[in-house]
Amino acid sequence: MNEGGPARAWTAVAVLTLLTPLAGCSSASTAVEACMGRQAKSATSGELAGTYAGEAHAEGATITLKASDTGTGGTVTVHHWPTGDWYESELGATFDGSGTWEVVGGSRPGEYGQVRLSLTEPEPFLNGDTLDSLSIAGDTERMYLYEDDDPDVCPTFRLRLT
């Protein structure tokens, strides 16, 4: 005896329809990997050097990383960068600035590399009072710097190497 008949069949079809789009993401192990590529364990300044343009919530922002001879950092220039609470009344919602950068992390198991910014212009910033730490992700075709605030969704503040 078939209990539920057509209603059960329609329910099964509806569930399969909802699950079908997930099949395309099955090879990605994280939300970051699905939208930007694998998180980088480490990187050199030469691999990261260049200009990155903002996407999603970072639209309009740019960051330019210039490599130094040491291989671990260099100088940075930012445009339309988000201002932290401490400086917002003085500088507005975004600012243009410069400073230095370095690659940190990635040396311990489960740890990923990050770009740490030390912005000194238009004035020195307190650590953490503007976006000063960006994670790294990419693949053979693209490279991203992004704010790693929620590992379960594609980062909304992300910049792509142009």
Side-chain angles (χ1 to χ4, degrees):
M1 183 182 270
N2 185 3
E3 293 183 22
R8 181 175 285 182
W10 282 112
T11 301
V13 169
V15 168
L16 286 174
T17 301
L18 290 172
L19 293 176
T20 300
L22 298 176
C25 298
S26 64
S27 64
S29 60
T30 66
V32 169
E33 188 176 328
C35 68
M36 296 184 305
R38 288 194 177 273
Q39 290 177 280
K41 292 281 187 188
S42 64
T44 66
S45 57
E47 292 169 327
L48 295 173
T51 298
Y52 295 75
E55 296 181 353
H57 289 164
E59 189 170 339
T62 61
I63 183 170
T64 301
L65 304 177
K66 291 185 180 173
S68 70
D69 295 335
T70 64
T72 60
T75 59
V76 61
T77 305
V78 296
H79 294 285
H80 304 291
W81 203 249
T83 306
D85 295 339
W86 182 262
Y87 297 95
E88 201 165 82
S89 63
E90 181 182 335
L91 300 175
T94 64
F95 68 95
D96 295 345
S98 61
T100 60
W101 67 280
E102 65 178 332
V103 180
V104 297
S107 59
R108 288 183 249 150
E111 183 181 61
Y112 294 99
Q114 294 185 322
V115 171
R116 180 82 33 89
L117 307 176
S118 294
L119 298 170
T120 55
E121 296 293 333
E123 59 187 74
F125 283 80
L126 297 173
N127 186 27
D129 198 49
T130 185
L131 183 56
D132 56 11
S133 183
L134 299 166
S135 295
I136 308 161
D139 55 31
T140 58
E141 298 174 12
R142 57 201 174 149
M143 178 70 73
Y144 283 93
L145 300 177
Y146 65 96
E147 181 181 22
D148 192 10
D149 56 353
D150 185 348
D152 296 327
V153 297
C154 184
T156 55
F157 192 93
R158 60 182 185 266
L159 302 110
R160 185 174 181 168
L161 182 63
T162 57

